[in-house]
């Protein structure tokens, strides 16, 4: 690895520069940067997770009638069959419109510090309210969502069971809370977790080498914590701006949230769990090859040119972050009634 | 019930005219018209059903990458969460285009004599090839489907396990066979089956009255067999043509298949299993209320005006055809590779 420009990140590189650390030393250092997934669902802010709420949230997550057209559910763009995302550069939504940014995986997303590429939602409940209302995504309104839910007695019953203390449980806030509770269960323990937990055999030699290279290069400066990312904001192109195709000029990232000049082209560091099964990469979704993505990151964020071997090893390590998706029984949803609002594919231009 | 015009169908009505048949007599007669669902998956033409093939078929059924855009899977329009259909008048497909006819349920479809509203596919394997290629639906090509499947080693392995005797198992025919095998397992035993099998308590009194009224009115002339329909072709508007909204002039039904004048506006009689959860109704999908659909059928097909009570009872009976959907574990699909064709939402106008 050669650093093209000096950076504070090289501190870590220096720390790790002595190659061939024993597994135990490497693990000790890794545990300072990362945490294995917990074996239980984390506590949520103002949202107690109960089995009833998780079941309701699952139904809502898979229900395409939460969109105006009846075409899209949460699962459409955060598909649990394909890594918790949709494997497209940017999602296709209502009226065949294209979303502005690549759809992030829902898997382990509960461990992100904030949601969306620009972190504009503090938690998954707040996040869940976004796409439902976005004109280019599900194009629905809270009023219509609630009317839809209230039209089906089964949903009313599920909301009562999920929010037993509420007089009027079918609300848009509770809709979002239930989805958050379900999503909080979507945790995917990976070989890396087993390795962090002390099982040397859980990762191959190459994957361990890749972890070393990952730390050595300084990737963990931004990609750390439980999700190896998702916990901080950094300018894309910290050292060297990537091309406009990868970093389109029009999307200034977190600047739109904070309106602070320093936040131009700042994005939340991508969480790296399941990264190997969630191509294409970056908020622009234009890079399909994980190897290329690693090279771009090294150059733009670290000013480093990694050797062919380092890149290959890092990609192998990233593969060890592919976890086991919890078994999901596909829900059978309540049937519409006479009062259920009818689906409409109409595109309203405001 | 008053018949407005004489018809051969009244024969059955006369047979059943003596009200208050004992349950046993009614069952005996019903068993001449209908059959309960079998407890096992039926044999398929040139397609042995194995667990490997069913699993492969399930993966294909749920895989949105079988569409050109990556948006639609078989399950999009035949959603197992919502009665095996999409609860829309006509489906929305590639490029936000509208399909020409209401999407029929996949549940129990293996028992239909032929597939599609006009019966143009003799079986589910042939059917499966249609929407994948239809420009307004999944807009894909067999070549691209096979390239997509061959790009993922896991799919290759699944095809080898499903078609162990084939040298080159990843073919479009085998793709369709696997989907057919999976769909053949989607059988939903209902209270009516339990009743046909001898359990008097399986249907309420009203549902039994509805069955009587259904037979009395002559509905079973077309809606008979295992699926209470799906086994014959009849002109929509046999006695009285419904309005153009319900029977659009442009869609001449089976005429497009046979090019026989007698087949103008002829459609396959709808299978009635799960009809209560698969609104809206008819090939045009414009009627949302099952009661209204029953009234339209009585008038247009039987020339009969049913009493309010008869209609309500028949609707209750139709509710007893809502079956239990088999438990489906949502599949985890193979991840794309470098050689997987990229999704494209582009609409090609020919």
């Amino acid at each position: 690895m050669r650093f093209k420009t000096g950076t504070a990140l090289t501190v870590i590189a220096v720390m790790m520069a002595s190659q061939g650390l024993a597994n135990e030393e490497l693990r000790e250092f890794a545990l300072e940067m990362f945490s294995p997934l917990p074996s239980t669902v984390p506590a949520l802010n103002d949202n107690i997770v109960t089995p009833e709420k998780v079941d309701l949230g699952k139904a809502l997550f898979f229900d395409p009638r939460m969109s105006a057209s009846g075409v899209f559910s949460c699962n459409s763009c955060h598909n649990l069959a394909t890594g918790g995302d949709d494997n497209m550069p940017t999602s296709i939504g209502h009226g065949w419109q294209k979303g502005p940014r690549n759809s992030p995986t829902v898997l382990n997303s509960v461990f992100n510090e904030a949601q969306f590429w620009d972190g504009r939602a503090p938690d998954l409940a707040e996040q869940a309210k976004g796409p439902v209302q976005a004109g280019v995504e599900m194009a629905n309104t809270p009023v219509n969502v609630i009317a839809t839910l209230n039209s089906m007695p089964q949903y009313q019953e599920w909301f009562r069971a999920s929010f037993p203390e509420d007089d009027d449980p079918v609300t848009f806030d509770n809709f979002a809370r239930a989805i958050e509770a379900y999503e909080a269960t979507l945790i995917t323990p990976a070989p890396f977790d087993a390795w962090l937990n002390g099982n040397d055999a859980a990762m191959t030699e190459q994957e361990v080498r890749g972890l070393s290279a990952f730390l050595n290069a300084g990737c963990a400066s931004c990609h750390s914590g439980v999700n190896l990312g998702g916990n901080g904001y950094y300018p894309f192109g910290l050292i060297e701006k990537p091309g406009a195709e990868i970093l389109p000029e029009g999307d200034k990232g977190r600047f739109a949230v904070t309106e602070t000049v320093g936040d131009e082209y700042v994005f939340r560091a991508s969480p790296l769990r399941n990264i190997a099964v969630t191509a294409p990469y970056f908020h622009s979704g234009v890079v399909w090859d994980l190897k290329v993505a690693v090279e771009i990151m090294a150059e733009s964020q670290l000013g480093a040119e990694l050797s062919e071997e380092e890149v290959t090893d890092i990609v192998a390590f990233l593969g060890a972050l592919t976890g086991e998706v919890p078994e999901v029984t596909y829900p059978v949803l309540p049937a519409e009634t006479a009062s259920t609002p009818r689906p409409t594919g109409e595109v309203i231009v405001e």
Side-chain angles (χ1 to χ4, degrees), chain A:
Chain A
M1 184 185 66
R2 289 179 301 115
F3 277 91
K4 286 196 289 192
T5 56
T7 149
L9 304 173
T10 53
V11 176
I12 292 164
V14 170
M15 283 173 63
M16 295 299 300
S18 61
Q19 291 293 326
L21 276 179
N23 246 336
E24 210 39 61
E25 277 175 89
L26 181 62
R27 179 176 292 120
E28 207 171 296
F29 183 73
L31 280 168
E32 281 173 34
M33 305 302 295
F34 315 114
S35 303
L37 285 175
S39 59
T40 54
V41 174
L44 304 174
N45 183 32
D46 189 26
N47 193 8
I48 296 162
V49 178
T50 63
E52 290 80 6
K53 209 185 275 180
V54 169
D55 281 351
L56 168 61
K58 184 171 82 168
L60 296 170
F61 185 86
F62 279 102
D63 197 331
R65 296 165 305 185
M66 298 303 106
S67 63
S69 65
V71 172
F72 303 109
S73 68
C74 304
N75 189 64
S76 298
C77 301
H78 304 287
N79 195 329
L80 301 184
T82 56
D85 76 339
D86 60 5
N87 305 312
M88 284 186 228
T90 66
S91 302
I92 291 178
H94 192 84
W96 214 244
Q97 296 172 90
K98 277 195 171 183
R101 293 181 188 143
N102 181 260
S103 166
T105 179
V106 67
L107 301 174
N108 312 295
S109 57
V110 67
F111 298 111
N112 294 333
E113 183 183 279
Q115 305 300 328
F116 294 116
W117 281 94
D118 53 17
R120 69 183 180 276
D123 54 38
L124 287 169
E126 206 49 39
Q127 190 280 333
K129 295 177 182 175
V132 176
Q133 298 180 75
V136 302
E137 299 185 43
M138 296 165 82
N140 214 340
T141 62
V143 167
N144 198 56
V145 167
I146 297 310
T148 301
L149 294 170
N150 269 325
S151 74
M152 295 180 259
Q154 179 73 80
Y155 262 125
Q156 291 190 354
E157 201 178 296
W158 287 344
F159 270 89
R160 277 194 298 272
S162 302
F163 302 94
E165 288 171 16
D166 289 17
D167 289 336
D168 179 19
V170 188
T171 65
F172 197 55
D173 280 340
N174 283 347
F175 158 88
R177 282 194 186 98
I179 291 174
E180 177 182 48
Y182 176 58
E183 292 180 339
T185 70
L186 301 174
I187 299 176
T188 67
F192 181 53
D193 295 291
W195 187 90
L196 278 179
N197 287 332
N199 181 356
D200 283 346
M203 293 211 299
T204 65
E205 271 179 43
Q206 189 186 22
E207 288 163 359
V208 173
R209 268 203 322 272
L211 167 59
S212 274
F214 185 89
L215 291 164
N216 250 330
C219 308
S221 311
C222 303
H223 298 282
S224 62
V226 181
N227 270 354
L228 297 86
N231 59 348
Y233 304 95
Y234 305 92
F236 191 1
L238 182 64
I239 305 295
E240 197 173 309
K241 262 200 174 181
E245 194 199 340
I246 292 163
L247 182 63
E249 281 200 2
D251 184 352
K252 294 196 173 175
R254 195 160 164 76
F255 175 73
V257 181
T258 64
E259 292 184 0
T260 305
V261 177
D263 279 342
E264 282 193 349
Y265 304 108
V266 163
F267 294 88
R268 197 193 59 181
S270 246
L272 296 183
R273 286 186 179 273
N274 298 297
I275 196 76
V277 296
T278 54
Y281 302 112
F282 305 127
H283 66 288
S284 48
V286 293
V287 174
W288 286 86
D289 188 335
L290 187 51
K291 236 179 110 182
V292 174
V294 168
E295 285 163 350
I296 290 171
M297 278 282 102
E299 281 184 37
S300 67
Q301 305 306 100
L302 302 168
E305 215 175 286
L306 301 175
S307 71
E308 174 76 22
E309 205 194 329
E310 282 169 318
V311 173
T312 313
D313 288 350
I314 288 174
V315 167
F317 164 62
L318 295 176
L321 300 174
T322 303
E324 196 169 335
V325 180
E327 188 167 297
V328 174
T329 302
Y330 198 61
V332 172
L333 300 171
E336 292 98 330
T337 65
S339 62
T340 306
R342 303 299 171 222
T344 168
E346 202 188 335
V347 179
I348 296 158
V349 181
E350 280 165 14

